[in-house]
Amino acid sequence: MNGAASQVESVLDPAGPVAQALANLSWLLIGGATLIFVAMMALLAWTLLRRARSDDRDARGVRSNAWWLIGGGVVFPVVVLTALLTHESLRIDGLTRPHGADELVISVSGRLWWWEVRYRLPDGRTDVVLANEIQLPVGRPVTIGLSSQDVIHSLWIPALAGKVDLIPGKVNQLRLQADRAGSYRGQCAEFCGEQHARMALFAIATPPEEFDRWLAQQAAPAQPPADPQTTRGLQIYVEQRCYQCHQLRGLDLPGGLNVAPDLTHLASRSHLAAGTMPINPETLAAWIADPQQIKPGTRMPSYRHLDEASLQALAAFLAQLK
Ligand code: CUA
């Protein structure tokens, strides 16, 4: 992973062509609105001054006021808004056109309150599944298929693209491209319940070779435990039946519902609980012990009944799943 993590989400700091077009539009609107505002205020000042100086109630004054009203109230907005509409209709067409054959397709599914991110591997059978992190190769067009398993969410990564809703029973498409390596924070932009604010994710753009290495590493099965503590951790994972909700590929565990984040390479990700905190043994132990304290309402139950040694062992096992 290279490039500093961009924690500030700004439309005015674009890292790809789609975001660039939106930034240009933002500047055009800000500039245009400022210009019109200043012109209107000047006009208002001029009118007030004129009124103060002379009695404006003669017939000529009324006629000239009517022209100002028609010109400023009807003709001017029609001309400005038509020009903007035409300009944007032409631009939008270029942004939503399908990419060529080299595009990368990623599926993102919204959950209460996290993001499932899925890559179909070339073999067509294996899916690399991760949570709250979208990895992208720099310079390659990407289409993201967006869907939801529960309520309406909205994906917004301001440095890369505009908002697109994730709607149950529907697949929306978001086309984007990252032209600059880095980590870009994104956020759910549609109110979806009590933890809407803690539904963040990171889009991480890396050079294509690095991305290919990353994908190959993610496709590999999970790292088996290598010492007594992590072995004990896996044992607790099985005893507590974590597999009923989470998937952990390659460790020969019983299958479950897959309703929670995939843990196969959990520790390769930067954040836990949808951008809530960094991933390390301490935060993992705190999260498992009492997720309801950290993110009230989250679907993950608390495991306060685990003794400290078991908790540490489980956290150590999860922290080695690179
Ligand atoms: Cu998901 Cu707001």
Side-chain angles (χ1 to χ4, degrees):
M1 198 189 303
N2 56 353
S6 159
Q7 295 289 330
V8 182
E9 293 153 324
S10 172
V11 176
L12 302 178
D13 185 19
V18 179
Q20 184 65 58
L22 293 173
N24 293 348
L25 174 64
S26 302
W27 284 120
L28 180 73
L29 291 178
I30 294 168
T34 309
L35 215 65
I36 292 171
F37 178 77
V38 170
M40 287 303 135
M41 287 304 111
L43 213 54
L44 179 68
W46 176 68
T47 312
L48 291 176
L49 275 174
R50 224 175 117 220
R51 277 189 83 121
R53 280 211 204 114
S54 67
D55 189 6
D56 208 12
R57 273 171 296 176
D58 59 75
R60 234 184 81 222
V62 171
R63 254 202 321 278
S64 106
N65 285 348
W67 280 116
W68 273 111
L69 279 177
I70 295 167
V74 181
V75 179
F76 184 67
V78 166
V79 169
V80 169
L81 293 179
T82 309
L84 269 179
L85 181 69
T86 315
H87 176 252
E88 286 322 301
S89 306
L90 295 174
R91 294 261 0 173
I92 269 312
D93 188 46
L95 295 181
T96 52
R97 205 170 294 148
H99 296 311
D102 73 324
E103 73 168 1
L104 173 71
V105 179
I106 306 172
S107 308
V108 173
S109 163
R111 309 288 177 100
L112 293 169
W113 290 274
W114 58 283
W115 309 87
E116 187 195 78
V117 181
R118 199 172 271 272
Y119 296 75
R120 172 75 24 117
L121 294 182
D123 70 8
R125 283 178 291 122
T126 330
D127 276 0
V128 159
V129 188
L130 59 157
N132 311 316
E133 195 167 288
I134 303 177
Q135 293 270 349
L136 309 164
V138 168
R140 190 167 155 200
V142 175
T143 293
I144 302 181
L146 299 164
S147 60
S148 171
Q149 298 291 316
D150 34 62
V151 299
I152 300 178
H153 304 274
S154 185
L155 178 65
W156 192 28
I157 310 165
L160 295 176
K163 296 171 196 171
V164 177
D165 281 359
L166 294 83
I167 299 169
K170 194 172 174 336
V171 178
N172 279 340
Q173 291 193 343
L174 172 62
R175 296 200 163 85
L176 54 82
Q177 182 177 317
D179 283 341
R180 164 151 73 78
S183 170
Y184 308 106
R185 195 176 189 277
Q187 168 70 41
C188 180
E190 173 75 37
F191 181 72
C192 55
E194 59 184 314
Q195 290 302 337
H196 159 70
R198 289 199 188 91
M199 189 169 167
L201 83 169
F202 289 88
I204 297 161
T206 52
E209 321 76 61
E210 205 173 315
F211 172 81
D212 291 341
R213 270 201 303 276
W214 170 84
L215 194 60
Q217 181 259 331
Q218 293 286 317
Q223 179 75 34
D227 59 49
Q229 198 195 24
T230 50
T231 306
R232 174 82 190 114
L234 174 57
Q235 231 169 51
I236 292 156
Y237 185 90
V238 175
E239 281 166 20
Q240 298 299 320
R241 303 213 182 107
C242 305
Y243 56 79
Q244 287 189 330
C245 295
H246 294 278
Q247 199 185 14
L248 198 45
R249 254 186 310 113
L251 292 188
D252 208 18
L253 297 167
L257 299 168
N258 286 345
V259 290
D262 187 295
L263 302 179
T264 311
H265 296 286
L266 168 72
S268 74
R269 310 202 280 259
S270 63
H271 285 75
L272 187 59
T276 305
M277 46 199 190
I279 288 187
N280 58 51
E282 292 75 44
T283 55
L284 281 165
W287 174 254
I288 298 162
D290 206 351
Q292 295 302 325
Q293 173 81 26
I294 298 165
K295 197 170 169 178
T298 177
R299 298 308 190 241
M300 166 101 177
S302 291
Y303 285 82
R304 266 169 298 208
H305 57 275
L306 287 178
D307 61 81
E308 194 53 33
S310 305
L311 201 58
Q312 296 306 331
L314 183 51
F317 163 65
L318 293 173
Q320 57 96 52
L321 295 171
K322 300 269 183 197

